[in-house]
Amino acid sequence: MTTTHDHATTDGRALPPDGPDGPEGSAADRAAGHPDGREAGPAATRVAAAYARLREVDRPEVWITVVDEAAALAAAREVDRRAAAGEDLPLHGTALAVKDNIDVRGLPTTAACPSFASVPGASATAVQRLVDAGCVVIGKTNLDQFATGLVGTRSPYGAVRHASLPDRVSGGSSSGSAVAVALGIVDVALGTDTAGSGRVPAALHGIVGIKSTIGLVPVTGVVPACRSYDVVTTFTRDVRLGVTATAVMAGPDGTDPTARTWPVDARAALRERPVVGLPTSEGLAALQPAWRGAFESVRGRLAAIGAEVVEVDIRPMLDAARLLYDGAIVAERFAAVGAHIEAGGPGLDPTVAAIILETVVGTNGVLVPRRSSWEARTSPPRGTSRTARRSSVHGSRPSPRWRGSTSWSCPPRPSTPRSRRSRRSRSRSTVAWGRSPTS
């Protein structure tokens, strides 16, 4: 499950024994070679390059679990064998990362909460379809806990830094997946998007993030955030690959009741003259002057390159978006993981817990924050500094750790049993939608 890096420098970069390239090619080329001496195929070559790049960039916070390199190379050679036998594999030669609220058979699913971890016996529908099409899984990526956040910092496994601006946030909640693509470690990464968790980190990195409409890609095997609105999304560096991956994942699977077929009239390319919708000035009222000025400069550049700009009143959309965190829809997050949070397992993020444990009471849809039993047990007195409050809540915060310079692993799963209520709640919600925890 975890990976050991041979011939690594002290900062994790891979070096062959006889120099950066060596007399027989790069370390990645040699690693990709078939055990019996045959030349490596496209999948094995790409996977070896993915691990070399992973070591080179040295960004452990991107990952929660990394597949053992030897196992990934063996899977890649099997993909090459299938392709050589004539099997149609539209994603042959691509490396895949999966957000850690999406099941991959045999790898822990944590949703960035170590006490929530379980090892599924089957992969999510989306993952399995990509693997069947030729992708090779490299690992599971970090995220805002329980996919609740747009910043990429709400994880006990560490804040995920921006790929090229490490002093800034990566965006979330699909933070690790976006950074893994932006850094060139993988070609395709899966995220989820309920309120922007796929689109925001893609935008902050200048990569392609595709969120299809609800139901196009089955969410079977996905830890829900808001089940009625969750979508599995893709991250790629070009549109063509993103569309291909989305099309591969699409279609009913017999388990997700919302799943539907790929529409025959779906547009996957721009018109000859692109049409770009931009908010009216009223929709930008919340922006600070500097950001509004930057937005207006984009409007001018779009017109200069020949795009047709159409103004759209987005205020109804903003009102709808607020329901995801300030309305009754928050109850869907509680239905998914609220019982586990109330049980008080280790590694819970206090901001995420406060959002999910908020409950609609009274009339007229008024939200009243309630002080839950979890918060009452863990929160220090009012007036305590924010740093002290976070330390008090988390105690000993688990995080990915490097063992010397050669390997890393996610924290071990806590041995403290969950409450009976938490186990029952999770079993009901996951089995109904195709998630069958085995541990």
Side-chain angles (χ1 to χ4, degrees), residues 19-416:
D21 295 316
E24 299 177 0
S26 70
D29 291 338
R30 290 198 297 277
H34 199 279
D36 64 9
R38 285 179 286 163
E39 183 178 352
T45 299
R46 178 63 188 95
V47 167
Y51 282 90
R53 180 62 176 160
L54 187 152
R55 291 187 285 268
E56 178 186 10
V57 298
D58 190 19
R59 295 291 291 272
E61 82 274 11
V62 170
W63 306 93
I64 293 179
T65 303
V66 174
V67 175
D68 179 77
E69 184 172 2
L73 283 169
R77 294 182 186 115
E78 174 60 18
V79 171
D80 288 331
R81 185 201 63 76
R82 291 165 55 200
E87 191 172 341
D88 181 22
L89 301 174
L91 296 172
H92 179 209
T94 57
L96 173 67
V98 180
K99 184 178 181 180
D100 200 23
N101 63 339
I102 304 174
D103 286 344
V104 176
R105 182 172 61 88
L107 300 181
T109 298
T110 70
C113 181
S115 59
F116 189 77
S118 66
V119 180
S123 292
T125 298
V127 173
Q128 191 59 55
R129 288 175 174 174
L130 292 177
V131 170
D132 290 344
C135 283
V136 177
V137 176
I138 302 300
K140 306 289 293 293
T141 56
N142 202 357
L143 64 147
D144 284 313
Q145 191 171 85
F146 296 124
T148 303
L150 296 174
V151 289
T153 63
R154 300 172 181 172
S155 171
Y157 296 94
V160 179
R161 298 167 290 162
H162 190 279
S164 57
L165 301 168
D167 60 330
R168 302 186 184 184
V169 298
S170 58
S173 63
S174 307
S175 48
S177 287
V179 174
V181 170
L183 289 173
I185 300 171
V186 297
D187 306 293
V188 181
L190 293 187
T192 57
D193 193 319
T194 306
S197 287
R199 293 160 290 168
V200 168
L204 293 186
H205 284 90
I207 60 177
V208 177
I210 297 179
K211 178 187 179 182
S212 58
T213 49
I214 294 169
L216 189 60
V217 177
V219 293
T220 305
V222 177
V223 177
C226 290
R227 198 184 298 281
S228 300
Y229 298 92
D230 293 339
V231 172
V232 176
T233 67
T234 59
F235 296 94
T236 57
R237 289 185 294 279
D238 66 82
V239 174
R240 184 181 299 276
L241 181 57
V243 170
T244 299
T246 302
V248 164
M249 295 187 296
D253 66 349
T255 302
D256 181 350
T258 68
R260 55 194 179 86
T261 57
W262 180 272
V264 295
D265 58 347
R267 181 182 292 274
L270 294 175
R271 297 179 174 90
E272 184 176 349
R273 184 187 182 195
V275 179
V276 181
L278 293 179
T280 60
S281 58
E282 293 82 2
L284 301 174
L287 292 181
Q288 295 293 324
W291 303 123
R292 187 160 182 168
F295 195 97
E296 293 299 333
S297 70
V298 171
R299 183 191 301 267
R301 292 202 299 274
L302 286 170
I305 64 174
E308 179 184 350
V309 176
V310 177
E311 286 200 331
V312 179
D313 184 1
I314 66 168
R315 287 174 294 177
M317 302 177 197
L318 295 175
D319 291 339
R322 277 189 280 272
L323 294 174
L324 290 166
Y325 287 104
D326 297 331
I329 294 175
V330 176
E332 291 205 26
R333 293 183 184 267
F334 182 84
V337 296
H340 180 80
I341 294 174
E342 285 198 318
L348 290 168
D349 183 273
T351 302
V352 171
I355 292 170
I356 294 176
L357 294 180
E358 197 170 50
T359 304
V360 176
V361 298
T363 60
N364 300 323
V366 177
L367 271 178
V368 178
R370 66 182 173 87
R371 192 170 174 82
S372 68
S373 58
W374 177 87
E375 187 182 5
R377 289 198 306 273
T378 59
S379 294
R382 301 288 181 185
T384 308
S385 71
R386 182 177 179 182
T387 300
R389 288 175 65 85
R390 288 183 64 85
S391 177
S392 172
V393 169
H394 282 290
S396 177
R397 288 168 60 91
S399 61
R401 55 183 180 270
W402 290 86
R403 294 175 179 169
S405 63
T406 58
S407 68
W408 74 275
S409 65
C410 62
R413 183 181 174 192
S415 57
T416 304

